[in-house]
Amino acid sequence: MRQGKSGCSDRQLSPEKTEAILEGGMKEFLARGYAATSMDRVAIAAKVSKATVYSHFQDKESLFIALIQRLVEQKFQSIFGAADEQILQMTPQVVLRNFANRALDGGINEPQFLNFMRLILGESGRFPQLARAFVRNIEQTAFRSLCHYFANCPHLKLADPEATARIFIGAIVHYMIVQEMLHGRDILPMERDRLIDTLINLIITERAEYP
């Protein structure tokens, strides 16, 4: 059976079974890790046959990458969605605060997201292709949107919009990793608003230095 780039076959497949397999895969990966999860276990968790799993996803890596894509779509694509055009017309302070808060809310308030991120980080040494797939999807959504905003916002004249976008997102991701994933809130406490305020002030200051 011919497979498409996403790992799914080209014939029409059941959305309900696809969702069941994704949910079963997420459950197994989080419970057992990537290496110990098998397509047999995923089929049992999804309550479908093994043949059905393979008709939707050609192998375990394709299933894992599909979960990454779904995670990114759910948590990051909506940060600068079409419905937020009105926000994008506001001052950079408002836009960037909205971006940072939505990115942090999308991660911190969802335990499954944090656990899946821990899994990706934990497996990145043995399975670097999984980490690369995650970075690639982030690059195509959250980072690309923010970089485009920095490069085209008439109120900002940044010397390097791409580097600024990486610094901004990098600080948010570091906050989530240290404060939430690594349980470092008591060791390295940092108020969320303090971090966001400082990031925004740094960017606005650079704007002032490059009129």
Side-chain angles (χ1 to χ4, degrees), residues 24-43:
M26 177 67 79
K27 177 182 176 181
E28 289 299 310
F29 284 130
L30 292 182
R32 304 177 188 280
Y34 182 79
T37 294
S38 68
M39 295 295 257
D40 286 332
R41 291 187 179 277
V42 171

Side-chain angles (χ1 to χ4, degrees), residues 73-110:
E73 288 174 2
Q74 290 176 342
K75 299 300 179 186
F76 292 100
Q77 277 189 338
S78 64
I79 291 175
F80 270 125
D84 299 315
E85 285 301 318
Q86 185 175 358
I87 293 176
L88 291 175
Q89 303 307 315
M90 296 181 180
T91 65
Q93 290 93 328
V94 173
V95 173
L96 295 177
R97 186 175 303 281
N98 182 269
F99 178 94
N101 279 318
R102 291 176 66 178
L104 288 170
D105 288 342
I108 293 173
N109 296 335
E110 180 54 60

